[in-house]
Tab-separated table of all heavy atoms in Angstrom:
chain	number	residue	atom	x	y	z
A	61	ILE	N	-18.697	43.064	16.018
A	61	ILE	CA	-17.417	43.551	15.616
A	61	ILE	C	-17.616	44.513	14.514
A	61	ILE	O	-18.309	44.258	13.494
A	61	ILE	CB	-16.536	42.418	15.214
A	61	ILE	CG1	-16.269	41.403	16.293
A	61	ILE	CG2	-15.204	42.976	14.646
A	61	ILE	CD1	-15.592	41.933	17.540
A	62	SER	N	-17.154	45.804	14.620
A	62	SER	CA	-17.274	46.790	13.684
A	62	SER	C	-16.315	46.650	12.536
A	62	SER	O	-15.079	46.385	12.879
A	62	SER	CB	-17.231	48.178	14.283
A	62	SER	OG	-18.294	48.353	15.149
A	63	ILE	N	-16.678	46.878	11.299
A	63	ILE	CA	-15.775	46.869	10.193
A	63	ILE	C	-16.239	47.836	9.181
A	63	ILE	O	-17.435	48.050	8.915
A	63	ILE	CB	-15.676	45.385	9.573
A	63	ILE	CG1	-14.543	45.292	8.535
A	63	ILE	CG2	-17.017	44.943	9.020
A	63	ILE	CD1	-14.123	43.915	8.144
A	64	GLU	N	-15.290	48.559	8.529
A	64	GLU	CA	-15.596	49.423	7.426
A	64	GLU	C	-15.861	48.664	6.096
A	64	GLU	O	-15.160	47.801	5.764
A	64	GLU	CB	-14.432	50.424	7.160
A	64	GLU	CG	-14.284	51.390	8.339
A	64	GLU	CD	-13.106	52.343	8.117
A	64	GLU	OE1	-12.452	52.376	7.026
A	64	GLU	OE2	-12.842	53.186	9.103
A	65	THR	N	-17.021	48.954	5.505
A	65	THR	CA	-17.471	48.297	4.296
A	65	THR	C	-17.736	49.415	3.304
A	65	THR	O	-17.750	50.628	3.615
A	65	THR	CB	-18.641	47.458	4.473
A	65	THR	OG1	-19.790	48.271	4.712
A	65	THR	CG2	-18.429	46.390	5.576
A	66	ASN	N	-18.094	49.112	2.056
A	66	ASN	CA	-18.495	50.047	1.029
A	66	ASN	C	-19.760	50.753	1.459
A	66	ASN	O	-20.015	51.885	1.006
A	66	ASN	CB	-18.693	49.284	-0.332
A	66	ASN	CG	-17.413	48.829	-0.850
A	66	ASN	OD1	-16.331	49.279	-0.550
A	66	ASN	ND2	-17.499	47.811	-1.758
A	67	GLU	N	-20.546	50.110	2.296
A	67	GLU	CA	-21.832	50.726	2.686
A	67	GLU	C	-21.642	51.525	4.037
A	67	GLU	O	-22.615	51.941	4.630
A	67	GLU	CB	-22.889	49.604	3.000
A	67	GLU	CG	-23.352	48.910	1.708
A	67	GLU	CD	-22.485	47.841	1.223
A	67	GLU	OE1	-21.809	47.182	2.034
A	67	GLU	OE2	-22.251	47.753	-0.035
A	68	GLY	N	-20.437	51.656	4.496
A	68	GLY	CA	-20.148	52.324	5.787
A	68	GLY	C	-19.806	51.353	6.880
A	68	GLY	O	-19.573	50.142	6.595
A	69	LEU	N	-19.724	51.809	8.126
A	69	LEU	CA	-19.431	51.014	9.272
A	69	LEU	C	-20.560	49.953	9.469
A	69	LEU	O	-21.743	50.332	9.498
A	69	LEU	CB	-19.238	51.868	10.422
A	69	LEU	CG	-18.474	51.332	11.614
A	69	LEU	CD1	-17.023	50.982	11.183
A	69	LEU	CD2	-18.426	52.328	12.818
A	70	GLN	N	-20.151	48.730	9.622
A	70	GLN	CA	-21.127	47.640	9.816
A	70	GLN	C	-20.749	46.771	11.002
A	70	GLN	O	-19.555	46.459	11.197
A	70	GLN	CB	-21.172	46.821	8.546
A	70	GLN	CG	-22.196	45.743	8.467
A	70	GLN	CD	-22.282	45.095	7.052
A	70	GLN	OE1	-21.396	45.213	6.268
A	70	GLN	NE2	-23.432	44.424	6.862
A	71	ASN	N	-21.738	46.409	11.861
A	71	ASN	CA	-21.525	45.473	12.898
A	71	ASN	C	-21.769	44.084	12.407
A	71	ASN	O	-22.704	43.762	11.795
A	71	ASN	CB	-22.448	45.767	14.123
A	71	ASN	CG	-21.898	46.918	14.932
A	71	ASN	OD1	-20.687	47.195	14.896
A	71	ASN	ND2	-22.714	47.447	15.802
A	72	CYS	N	-20.792	43.180	12.697
A	72	CYS	CA	-20.831	41.818	12.121
A	72	CYS	C	-20.457	40.785	13.301
A	72	CYS	O	-19.876	41.131	14.258
A	72	CYS	CB	-19.816	41.611	11.030
A	72	CYS	SG	-20.033	42.755	9.673
A	124	PRO	N	-24.191	39.234	8.051
A	124	PRO	CA	-22.908	39.633	7.828
A	124	PRO	C	-21.904	39.058	8.807
A	124	PRO	O	-22.025	39.267	10.035
A	124	PRO	CB	-22.981	41.130	7.984
A	124	PRO	CG	-24.450	41.485	7.669
A	124	PRO	CD	-25.188	40.255	8.131
A	126	ILE	N	-17.682	38.223	9.347
A	126	ILE	CA	-16.282	38.332	8.976
A	126	ILE	C	-15.634	37.041	9.206
A	126	ILE	O	-15.809	36.424	10.319
A	126	ILE	CB	-15.495	39.413	9.882
A	126	ILE	CG1	-16.201	40.840	9.805
A	126	ILE	CG2	-14.066	39.491	9.554
A	126	ILE	CD1	-15.804	41.741	10.920
A	139	GLY	N	-13.998	42.241	0.907
A	139	GLY	CA	-15.224	42.262	1.634
A	139	GLY	C	-15.059	41.855	3.121
A	139	GLY	O	-14.187	42.502	3.829
A	140	LEU	N	-15.747	40.915	3.536
A	140	LEU	CA	-15.653	40.431	4.927
A	140	LEU	C	-14.761	39.215	5.048
A	140	LEU	O	-14.650	38.601	6.123
A	140	LEU	CB	-17.067	40.097	5.414
A	140	LEU	CG	-18.037	41.245	5.451
A	140	LEU	CD1	-19.430	40.871	5.952
A	140	LEU	CD2	-17.509	42.425	6.298
A	160	LEU	N	-9.180	46.473	13.072
A	160	LEU	CA	-10.581	46.729	12.770
A	160	LEU	C	-11.064	47.904	13.593
A	160	LEU	O	-10.589	48.122	14.715
A	160	LEU	CB	-11.446	45.499	13.143
A	160	LEU	CG	-11.071	44.217	12.325
A	160	LEU	CD1	-11.960	43.053	12.768
A	160	LEU	CD2	-11.348	44.499	10.768
A	161	PRO	N	-11.925	48.734	13.115
A	161	PRO	CA	-12.770	48.599	11.934
A	161	PRO	C	-12.208	48.969	10.620
A	161	PRO	O	-12.674	48.688	9.584
A	161	PRO	CB	-13.982	49.402	12.291
A	161	PRO	CG	-13.465	50.529	13.055
A	161	PRO	CD	-12.345	49.911	13.866
A	162	SER	N	-11.005	49.586	10.638
A	162	SER	CA	-10.423	50.160	9.440
A	162	SER	C	-9.899	49.139	8.380
A	162	SER	O	-9.717	49.493	7.266
A	162	SER	CB	-9.288	51.195	9.705
A	162	SER	OG	-8.183	50.436	10.256
A	163	LYS	N	-9.569	47.909	8.763
A	163	LYS	CA	-8.907	46.881	7.970
A	163	LYS	C	-7.418	47.364	7.582
A	163	LYS	O	-6.973	46.918	6.602
A	163	LYS	CB	-9.749	46.561	6.745
A	163	LYS	CG	-11.069	45.920	6.965
A	163	LYS	CD	-11.688	45.398	5.759
A	163	LYS	CE	-12.525	46.374	5.042
A	163	LYS	NZ	-13.282	45.771	3.939
Side-chain angles (χ1 to χ4, degrees):
I61 301 296
S62 296
I63 189 167
E64 291 180 5
T65 68
N66 292 338
E67 293 80 38
L69 200 61
Q70 187 171 16
N71 278 343
C72 301
I126 302 162
L140 299 179
L160 297 178
S162 68
K163 296 192 270 188

